[in-house]
Amino acid sequence: MAIAAGVLYSTDGKLVRSSTATTTAVIAGRGDPAHGDNGPATEARLSHPSGLALDGAGVLYIADRDNHRIRRLDARGILTTYAGTGLAGNAGDGGSAVLAQLNQPSAISLDEAGNLYIADQGNGRIRRVSLSGIISAAASMPKPADIFPAIGTDPAIQPTCIIAGKDGVLYAIAGDLVWGLTPPPDPVTLISIVNAASGSGPLAPGMLARVEGVVWSQVLFDGSSGVMVSDTVLVVPPGVQPGTVQVEVRSSGTALRLEATVAAASPALFLAVNEDGSVNGTEHPAERGSVLVLYGTGQGVEASPVDVRIGGYQCEVVYSGPVAEYPGLWQVNTRVPAGFFAPGTHGLTVAVGNAVSPVLQVDVK
């Protein structure tokens, strides 16, 4: 059971329902003991859902007990697997939660940092899934022999309920007892996805982005795959919508999860090339009145107006658009101010709508 904003979320062992003071609706499952992913939750099938947890963004997590999975129901009503392969087992710690095996997960709870704790009932364990999607051992339930030695080597006590307390203690119910368990520190995997030109965020549809902190093979943005350009750079799918998106970075059989902010445009520049083909710099300044070719990324897909300024002066934009055969690369041809424009080093910015690039220093004769 979970409650948020006056809505009660509950399960009867077959279906998941949301209820207000006046209405009740089925939001997941059709009552048949099977599973289904990546579609409307009302068309998916659950098998004895027995635990619910709701995060601050309105995402509902479901302990799909007899499917040996944890499911994730997002705000769009789409159901996906968050942990578990669907095969009962006790394996996968230290790797991607979706590649790990659970055994009748009966209850779940979120801590204030967003880590998900699973009462892995059949394994007599508490498991933790971090925000990056890595599963690890949070705590093991004691064995009866630890409490009553005469019992011998019976299996561990099986947890049926789990609550992550604000004090950092995990409270688990097993049988007639409540256990207080202290989990180990969360394993940290530092990865990020940034604008390939600026090294920061936000991202934009169709832009070049760089993945930092992990060797990867595929990156998904809300389920849509980016196009790999090099070992570290990819093109963000053009169809990604502005807002907070769920990113899955796949690496050596592991799927790491994080959130990324996507804006309509996030312009940034790699370099400027003079009209004679030389790279602009102190040894190769641009002529006043010449055309400077800028290469960057992050213009977005909405064809918003482009504004270029050098030293605060607005410049003529001769061309703005993609570079043929180089996905994600953006070219802007602009004319350097002429007349009494002072020589020296000047700051150049490109704006797309209200989004302004970081400053690129250019040199003018």
Side-chain angles (χ1 to χ4, degrees):
M1 183 185 303
I3 301 175
V7 180
L8 172 69
Y9 299 89
S10 62
T11 176
D12 61 2
K14 292 184 178 180
L15 306 173
V16 178
R17 294 183 170 87
S18 63
S19 303
T20 66
T22 57
T23 63
T24 297
V26 173
I27 60 172
R30 293 192 304 194
D32 296 325
H35 69 270
D37 264 340
N38 302 313
T42 51
E43 297 179 7
R45 300 176 177 89
L46 307 175
S47 184
H48 296 95
S50 58
L52 303 173
L54 190 70
D55 71 12
V59 174
L60 184 68
Y61 298 87
I62 304 167
D64 194 3
R65 191 190 71 186
D66 289 351
N67 277 329
H68 312 293
R69 299 171 185 256
I70 305 300
R71 318 295 285 281
R72 180 182 185 275
L73 175 56
D74 67 19
R76 302 168 300 166
I78 302 299
L79 192 73
T80 55
T81 291
Y82 194 71
T85 63
L87 296 176
N90 187 10
D93 285 349
S96 170
V98 296
L99 301 177
Q101 291 180 331
L102 307 174
N103 190 352
Q104 292 191 320
S106 60
I108 48 180
S109 181
L110 289 160
D111 67 12
E112 292 188 323
N115 298 302
L116 182 74
Y117 292 88
I118 305 168
D120 195 2
Q121 181 177 352
N123 288 322
R125 307 176 64 202
I126 307 297
R127 314 279 286 275
R128 171 176 53 202
V129 181
S130 69
L131 286 172
S132 59
I134 299 299
I135 192 167
S136 60
S140 292
M141 298 301 296
K143 295 181 178 180
D146 297 333
I147 307 165
F148 306 106
I151 293 178
T153 58
D154 286 352
I157 295 171
Q158 295 183 329
T160 56
C161 181
I162 181 73
I163 297 175
K166 293 184 177 181
D167 55 2
V169 176
L170 301 176
Y171 297 92
I173 297 176
D176 297 328
L177 300 175
V178 177
W179 302 87
L181 308 167
T182 302
D186 186 19
V188 177
T189 302
L190 297 177
I191 60 173
S192 60
I193 301 180
V194 297
N195 184 311
S198 68
S200 60
L203 307 179
M207 75 174 292
L208 292 169
R210 186 171 66 250
V211 182
E212 299 179 336
V214 66
V215 177
W216 54 278
S217 58
Q218 185 181 26
V219 180
L220 303 175
F221 298 80
D222 278 345
S224 297
S225 180
V227 176
M228 179 183 285
V229 175
S230 71
D231 290 343
T232 59
V233 176
L234 57 83
V235 178
V236 177
V240 171
Q241 296 299 308
T244 300
V245 300
Q246 301 297 319
V247 181
E248 182 176 302
V249 180
R250 296 181 177 177
S251 171
S252 301
T254 296
L256 307 174
R257 298 189 185 94
L258 65 154
E259 291 185 342
T261 300
V262 175
S266 181
L269 300 171
F270 293 106
L271 77 166
V273 177
N274 297 321
E275 195 167 328
D276 63 5
S278 62
V279 176
N280 183 273
T282 54
E283 295 183 1
H284 300 283
E287 297 278 357
R288 282 177 287 181
S290 67
V291 172
L292 199 61
V293 180
L294 311 174
Y295 291 101
T297 193
Q299 74 273 30
V301 295
E302 296 184 355
S304 298
V306 174
D307 178 82
V308 178
R309 293 177 185 264
I310 299 178
Y313 288 87
Q314 188 173 27
C315 304
E316 176 190 359
V317 176
V318 180
Y319 170 80
S320 173
V323 179
E325 300 182 5
Y326 290 91
L329 190 61
W330 174 39
Q331 178 178 332
V332 178
N333 297 354
T334 188
R335 193 172 299 281
V336 178
F340 295 103
F341 188 74
T345 301
H346 299 273
L348 181 152
T349 59
V350 179
V352 179
N354 294 323
V356 182
S357 72
V359 174
L360 177 71
Q361 299 296 333
V362 295
D363 290 275
V364 178
K365 287 185 179 180

